[in-house]
Amino acid sequence: MAAYRGAAGFQRVLLAVKHVCFSKQRCGVIICRYSTVYDPNEKTFDKILIANRGEIACRVIKTCKKMGIKTVAVHSDVDSSAVHVKVADEAVCVGPAPTSKSYLNMDAIMNAIKQTGAQAVHPGYGFLSENKEFAKRLAAEGVTFIGPDTHAIQAMGDKIESKLIAKAAKVNTIPGFDGVVKDAEEAVKIAGEIGYPVMIKASAGGGGKGMRIAWNDEETREGFRFSSQEALSSFGDDRLLIEKFIDNPRHIEIQVLADKHGNALWLNERECSIQRRNQKVVEEIDAACTVTFVRSGSCCEYVFLTQVEHPITECITGLDLVQQMIRIAKGYKLQHKQSDIPINGWAVESRVYAEDPYKSFGLPSIGRLSQYQEPLDLPNVRVDSGIQEGSDISIYYDPMISKLVTYGKTREEALKKMEDALDNYVIRGVTHNIPLLREIIVHSRFVSGDISTKFLPEVYPDGFKGHMLTAGERRELLATAAALYVAVEIDGEKVEVSGEWNLASALLPITINGKHRTLQVYKHAYAYSGVKNKLAASLSKHMPEKVPEDTSSILRSPMPGSVVAVSVKPGDNVAEGQEICVIEAMKMQNSMTAAKTAKVKSVHCKAGDTVGEGDLLVELE
């Protein structure tokens, strides 16, 4: 996000994008990389501290290096070996793992600034990026905040304030309560006045944190509790607002840049409707972020929401947005006019997460990356990541592994490149969502553009089960597993398999019946079109049948995380659906409930415990 002055500047930007045309002509030239044109005569900063972690910290550091600016990374104790720490010129530990004690610890970060002599701070997104108190403290110390000033943060970083300004600019907004909701009972009262369903959301921050949909009073009370706790944990601000939930919408975002001299640009829109848990999974041209709109499925109205961040704009415009932010923060005017902004080709982004897509479209997975290989040898592929082989994915932070971006002259070309990139992406040691991502981009509904934020539950009403191999794909996979450079006969049909590969490699580029395929090699297994086919599967008929566990009498943790609260004790009577405990994983809180009406036999956890996936929490009689 670029800096601009207060409500008046924000209103000007909103007016600029209010009548955006969503069907612009696209050029035929592909910009494969964003351009960082460094002018040594244009002085900015000698040293910048990045108050963030992961892929966004690495992304900022990359541009700073091109501009000749030294960088300072901050990190928690568990992030001491993180990639952003290694690539920065200096690094300072700002506290233990919990975000409230490290990445949200303003005192520690201010001390790091003084210790290193950093002249400016880039906040990335999330954490302190929209915290006006942090911006005030920086200004008081004469340190430049690379982002909006305190007035603009108040205007746009706060969803409540920004909605009021949007209304003043005559931009459509979602109906709701434009104030801070005090407690759960007031939330119920407001929800009743608005009419169910409603969306409860954090006033600060974004990224799906602190957001809950409620369809009745009980869900409103529960949603208020969890949303406020998540918001406090993620952004240090537990204020909430309530809006009417827009059913079956499309999520559109627009990137803007604005300087301190009254100049503003909009950098095209992007489609972000493929989501799970209100978090984006697949996005595509032509846009980026900062002002977000939701297009209702029942009308063509774009309603103002909030602001965010994104890289795919750089692919279609060729602009280095981080460089533009740094220039603007130093006080320079925008280098470009609106007529200079192109839309070259088509870009698609898949957000690669360490999570199990077969559980609620993605419950967190933790572990160490025993093998990691990005598909950067493929043309027109970009990977923004903050991890490497050997990195640990912990329970404390967002489970994102990378933002995988592909681009081409057309959408069809960009999607085909994405398919190839996902096939060539090697991730071992954690469960990941590549199988789901691959299924999405080849699904007929997605390819045709028939999408909304309900895409996943509508396409997979019983949950994601993985790719179902056709008879032909099954033959191809079995033939590949059986032979190299041979013709194999399976089910009465010949399958020609050829290629040159190293069996020590994780990837097998081969040709099957004249068609190019890329397979991944696991120990005693192959992955084909996102499907892992284990050798043991062929021997399953010889194995004794495993009796399913009676899950109605026990409660196991569905994911690794920490126990926030335990609501029962041995001897208590619980009703079906009653909350037993709360598990927090990667800043998202999850209520664990009883599967039946029963008496509590034993409790195997307490608040503060760290639990693994499958760990026993509670037994019922």
Side-chain angles (χ1 to χ4, degrees), residues 480-502:
T480 304
L484 309 176
Y485 288 99
V486 296
V488 181
E489 186 171 303
I490 297 177
D491 297 336
E493 294 188 23
K494 288 219 170 207
V495 181
E496 299 287 343
V497 181
S498 64
E500 294 182 5
W501 61 78
N502 178 357

Side-chain angles (χ1 to χ4, degrees), residues 28 138 226:
L138 292 175
F226 287 130

